[in-house]
């Protein structure tokens, strides 16, 4: 163990213990580094990726002081929940990033289902809901060279044993904690390992058969598809029915006037 200075808290320098090298997980593919407190597991892993950390490096933190979600929203990160980032160096083009997000959502949904017996619903593009409330969000951030992905960081936040509402009110969708939904506390390490194992099997399958498998797997789960939705993009608001994913993983919404619109960004709300 050694100590590194990562940040300042309330004007005071603080240091946190860091494993010099990660510890292999049960699959042997991932190398996990654990922290008590970080700014954001994505930010720290990005730094390691820039320094050449290998594929399979994972950062897990007990809490984050600047946890982030999509569109730079705050991800409230009290103790008791899972905050994890995974580094990949996939041989995929940059346009495949959304499909990797969808694949990660499938892996997280599998893990949640396996450890809790709850039935998750996927909300395009990166949310996992239980009974309409958000329990998990995924933040994929990539580094590109020309049109290829140099590396990809998949940040996964799961509200496991602590309801985040007691710690803030910055929520676009009503949040929930898995423990409340299934009526018992859950072992964080078990969920973490189940998620990593599930992720690895989806990732290997995608590398073997192609990333279209992400579209198949995502579409096979209960999801935004076939639901009435309201979508707020940076340009406009559309209400209609989510009818399909295109080959890149973008959402196709049939608007009230019958026109099909390809949604490439924005916030989706389920209306049915
Ligand atoms: C979202 O719902 O918009 C995505 C939320 C992603 C949160 C996770 S927690 C671990 C990782 N570190 C971060 O700062 N963000 C992701």
């Amino acid at each position: 163990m050694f100590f590194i200075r990562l940040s300042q808290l309330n004007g005071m320098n603080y240091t946190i213990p860091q494993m010099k090298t990660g510890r292999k997980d049960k699959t042997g593919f991932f190398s996990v580094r654990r922290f008590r407190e970080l700014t954001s597991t994505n930010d720290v892993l990005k730094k390691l990726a820039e320094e050449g950390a290998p594929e399979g490096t994972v950062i897990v933190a007990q809490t984050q002081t600047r946890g982030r979600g999509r569109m730079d929203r705050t991800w409230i990160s009290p103790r008791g929940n899972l905050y994890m980032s995974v580094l990949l160096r996939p041989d995929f083009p940059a346009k495949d990033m959304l499909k990797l997000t969808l694949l990660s959502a499938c892996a997280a949904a599998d893990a949640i289902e396996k450890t809790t017996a709850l039935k998750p619903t996927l909300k395009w593009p990166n949310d996992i809901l239980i009974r309409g409330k958000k329990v998990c969000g995924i933040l994929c951030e990539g580094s590109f060279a020309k049109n290829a992905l140099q590396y990809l960081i998949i940040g996964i936040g799961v509200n496991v044993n602590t309801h985040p509402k007691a710690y803030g009110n910055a929520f676009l969708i009503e949040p929930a904690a898995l423990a409340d939904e299934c009526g018992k506390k859950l072992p964080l390490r078990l969920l973490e390992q189940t998620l990593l194992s599930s992720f690895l099997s989806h990732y290997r399958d995608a590398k073997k058969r192609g990333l279209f498998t992400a579209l198949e797997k995502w579409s096979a789960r209960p999801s935004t598809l076939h639901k009435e939705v309201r979508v707020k993009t940076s340009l406009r608001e559309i209400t209609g029915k989510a009818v399909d994913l295109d080959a890149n993983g973008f959402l196709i919404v049939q608007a009230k006037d019958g026109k099909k619109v390809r949604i490439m960004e924005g916030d989706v709300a389920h209306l049915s």
Side-chain angles (χ1 to χ4, degrees):
M1 293 267 262
F2 68 105
F3 287 83
I4 55 167
R5 192 176 304 286
L6 271 171
S7 174
Q8 290 197 311
L9 190 64
N10 297 332
M12 303 233 319
N13 287 335
Y14 73 99
T15 54
I16 55 168
Q18 183 206 26
M19 298 280 298
K20 197 168 185 178
T21 53
R23 190 160 288 166
K24 285 285 175 198
D25 81 319
K26 282 194 180 145
T27 68
F29 181 83
F30 297 104
S31 189
V32 184
R33 298 188 191 192
R34 299 182 183 285
F35 295 82
R36 275 204 300 274
E37 182 176 281
L38 286 182
T39 49
S40 150
T41 55
N42 269 35
D43 291 348
V44 172
L45 189 53
K46 182 167 186 233
K47 193 164 177 290
L48 293 179
E50 295 288 341
E51 289 166 2
E55 170 160 275
T57 303
V58 175
I59 300 277
V60 176
Q62 290 177 16
T63 60
Q64 302 181 114
T65 53
R66 286 205 293 276
R68 293 184 289 109
R70 274 170 72 232
M71 305 182 195
D72 227 16
R73 292 185 180 122
T74 300
W75 184 261
I76 293 169
S77 309
R79 281 172 82 97
N81 296 338
L82 181 61
Y83 313 108
M84 179 164 88
S85 297
V86 177
L87 174 63
L88 298 182
R89 295 187 179 276
D91 194 12
F92 290 126
K95 68 175 172 56
D96 280 348
M97 200 162 132
L98 177 57
K99 280 181 274 190
L100 285 159
T101 304
L102 300 178
L103 198 72
S104 308
C106 292
D110 284 356
I112 289 171
E113 195 167 307
K114 211 165 167 186
T115 46
T116 65
L118 294 166
K119 297 283 173 219
T121 302
L122 305 178
K123 188 168 81 64
W124 189 90
N126 68 327
D127 293 339
I128 298 176
L129 314 179
I130 299 287
R131 301 182 190 106
K133 290 180 282 183
K134 180 161 168 173
V135 292
C136 171
I138 292 165
L139 179 66
C140 274
E141 298 182 300
S143 166
F144 310 99
K146 297 196 175 133
N147 284 330
L149 268 174
Q150 270 187 320
Y151 66 79
L152 185 71
I153 290 169
I154 300 171
I156 303 167
V158 190
N159 301 328
V160 184
N161 292 315
T162 307
H163 199 297
K165 254 193 162 170
Y167 296 84
N169 55 10
F171 304 103
L172 196 68
I173 311 162
E174 184 68 17
L178 291 176
D180 296 332
E181 298 302 308
C182 66
K184 59 170 192 252
K185 287 233 174 228
L186 296 163
L188 278 181
R189 289 279 179 104
L190 175 67
L191 180 64
E192 177 194 309
Q193 183 59 62
T194 311
L195 212 161
L196 288 174
S197 302
S198 159
F199 182 81
L200 183 61
S201 86
H202 285 304
Y203 183 51
R204 285 191 167 147
D205 187 38
K207 287 216 286 194
K208 200 161 123 198
R209 297 199 297 132
L211 253 182
F212 70 92
T213 55
L215 305 177
E216 287 180 351
K217 287 171 180 173
W218 196 90
S219 307
R221 281 194 157 274
S223 74
T224 302
L225 287 185
H226 318 301
K227 285 196 164 43
E228 296 296 326
V229 292
R230 185 177 54 245
V231 187
K232 281 186 190 161
T233 74
S234 47
L235 297 175
R236 58 181 174 152
E237 188 169 313
I238 302 150
T239 307
K241 188 171 183 177
V243 289
D244 209 353
L245 295 178
D246 80 358
N248 288 317
F250 296 128
L251 187 68
I252 307 295
V253 173
Q254 183 153 33
K256 293 272 182 242
D257 62 6
K259 281 196 188 122
K260 287 187 178 168
V261 185
R262 190 157 62 128
I263 306 298
M264 298 168 77
E265 49 87 21
D267 291 317
V268 173
H270 290 174
L271 304 179
S272 63

